Amino acid sequence: MLQKFGFSQYESQVYEALLANEGPLDASSIVTYSHVPKAKIYEVLNRLIDKGIVVNTLSGKKKLYSAVALQTVIQKLTADFENDINELKTYKIKKTFTDDHVWSLKDKSSISAHIEQLIQEAEYSIILSAWNDELEHYRSLLEEKEKQGVNVEVLTIGNLQTALKHLHTLNPIDDHKNLEPSQLIIVDDAYLLFAGIEHDTWKAIKTMSQPLVKVFADFFYHDVALTHITKKYQEQLLQDSEIMELLTRLRY
C-alpha cells in the first residue's frame, strides 16, 4: 500500500517487516524478515528514517530500528498531501516564453487598458513615466502594487498627489507644454510599452525584446536624472538660452 504514496518496494517491505514485529530489529533481522538485499538495507533504512516513518536507537554496539505506528504514518501522509495540495493551489507558473516581436497598438483606451494590465501583472518592479493627467488614471493601482511589495518608480510631468515612495516630479516650463505627451512603462525588466501621439492620435508599441527594454529603461533614468538636475540648477539653467533650448527639446 505504501507504494501508492511514493514509497519504493524495498521501503514498503522494510516498513511492513518492522511493523509486523512487536519489538525493534537490527539490520540483519530486517534483511531476514523483509527479503531486502543486505547490500541495500542501510540505504533503505536511512531513507525511511528521513521520511519519518522509522526510528532508530543504539543498544550497546548494535543499532536497532522500529516502525512508527501505522496511524501516525497515516496522519503524516494526510498532512503531507494537504500541504502539497495547498502549495499547488498557490503555485505560479513562470513565464519562460519571450516574444521579441514589436507589436503596434492604437486607440487611447486600448493603450490605457494594456498599461493597467501590465501594472496588475507586475511581480517585482514597475517603472512608469507620463504626464500627471495620464498618471492619475493609474495612481490608485500603482499605490496598491507598492503596498504588495512591488518596487514602483514613477516620473511625472506636472504635480501628482500620491503616496508613492519613489516619485520624481518635473514641473514643466512654458516651452515644455508644447511637447506632445507620452507614456512609458516597463514591468519586471521584461515587458515594455511606449505610447505617444502621432497626428493627434495615440499610438504605442509593446514588446519583450530585451534590447528595446534596456534602451527605454535607460531613457527613463536619463529623464529622471535630467529632472533632478533641472530642479536643482533651474535658476542657472534659465539664464543659459542654449542649454534651455536643448532641455525643452527633450522627450520627457
Side-chain angles (χ1 to χ4, degrees):
M1 292 298 293
L2 285 179
Q3 292 180 59
K4 295 184 178 181
F5 295 92
F7 291 83
S8 70
Q9 181 178 339
Y10 283 168
E11 290 171 345
S12 300
Q13 290 173 212
V14 167
Y15 178 78
E16 185 177 358
L18 288 169
L19 193 65
N21 281 271
E22 295 182 358
L25 299 175
D26 60 16
S28 297
S29 300
I30 296 171
V31 169
T32 302
Y33 289 115
S34 68
H35 306 293
V36 171
K38 186 175 181 180
K40 292 283 187 179
I41 195 64
Y42 288 106
E43 177 187 341
V44 174
L45 284 167
N46 287 334
R47 288 205 305 265
L48 290 172
I49 291 169
D50 290 340
K51 293 180 178 181
I53 70 168
V54 166
V55 293
N56 66 336
T57 187
L58 199 60
S59 178
K61 294 183 179 180
K62 186 177 292 187
K63 188 172 285 189
L64 299 178
Y65 301 87
S66 182
V68 171
L70 182 58
Q71 188 59 41
T72 303
V73 172
I74 292 172
Q75 291 176 352
K76 168 189 159 45
L77 293 175
T78 302
D80 289 347
F81 179 78
E82 290 175 350
N83 288 335
D84 290 342
I85 290 295
N86 289 331
E87 185 176 345
L88 186 60
K89 287 178 179 178
T90 59
Y91 180 74
K92 291 184 178 180
I93 298 174
K94 301 296 181 182
K95 296 179 181 178
T96 57
F97 172 71
T98 301
D99 182 4
D100 289 331
H101 291 90
V102 177
W103 301 92
S104 298
L105 302 173
K106 292 183 180 180
D107 183 71
K108 184 177 180 181
S109 60
S110 177
I111 292 169
S112 295
H114 275 81
I115 292 176
E116 288 183 12
Q117 181 181 5
L118 284 171
I119 294 172
Q120 289 171 346
E121 293 178 350
E123 295 184 358
Y124 63 86
S125 71
I126 299 170
I127 61 175
L128 175 60
S129 69
W131 289 61
N132 55 353
D133 55 344
E134 300 296 339
L135 281 169
E136 182 61 33
H137 298 313
Y138 319 119
R139 178 182 54 78
S140 59
L141 184 56
L142 289 167
E143 291 171 348
E144 181 60 31
K145 294 299 288 189
E146 187 174 72
K147 290 178 182 177
Q148 295 172 8
V150 176
N151 183 58
V152 178
E153 191 165 6
V154 170
L155 171 62
T156 173
I157 316 302
N159 289 321
L160 179 70
Q161 297 299 319
T162 177
L164 291 170
K165 298 175 184 176
H166 306 291
L167 180 70
H168 312 280
T169 303
L170 172 68
N171 292 311
I173 60 177
D174 291 338
D175 288 338
H176 277 142
K177 295 177 182 177
N178 296 323
L179 295 175
E180 292 180 335
S182 62
Q183 301 180 70
L184 168 64
I185 181 170
I186 299 174
V187 168
D188 297 338
D189 298 324
Y191 306 90
L192 158 73
L193 187 148
F194 174 73
I197 292 181
E198 182 179 343
H199 304 304
D200 298 323
T201 302
W202 277 95
K203 295 182 179 181
I205 60 169
K206 182 180 179 182
T207 185
M208 294 173 64
S209 171
Q210 282 304 292
L212 286 175
V213 170
K214 291 177 181 177
V215 166
F216 277 90
D218 286 344
F219 281 170
F220 175 84
Y221 289 108
H222 156 276
D223 285 355
V224 168
L226 284 173
T227 295
H228 289 279
I229 290 170
T230 52
K231 183 182 294 185
K232 187 171 183 178
Y233 300 104
Q234 186 171 11
E235 187 175 342
Q236 295 95 313
L237 293 172
L238 284 171
Q239 297 174 6
D240 191 317
S241 58
E242 183 178 359
I243 292 179
M244 285 307 301
E245 184 179 355
L246 288 172
L247 287 175
T248 54
R249 291 171 60 187
L250 294 174
R251 177 181 60 83
Y252 287 112

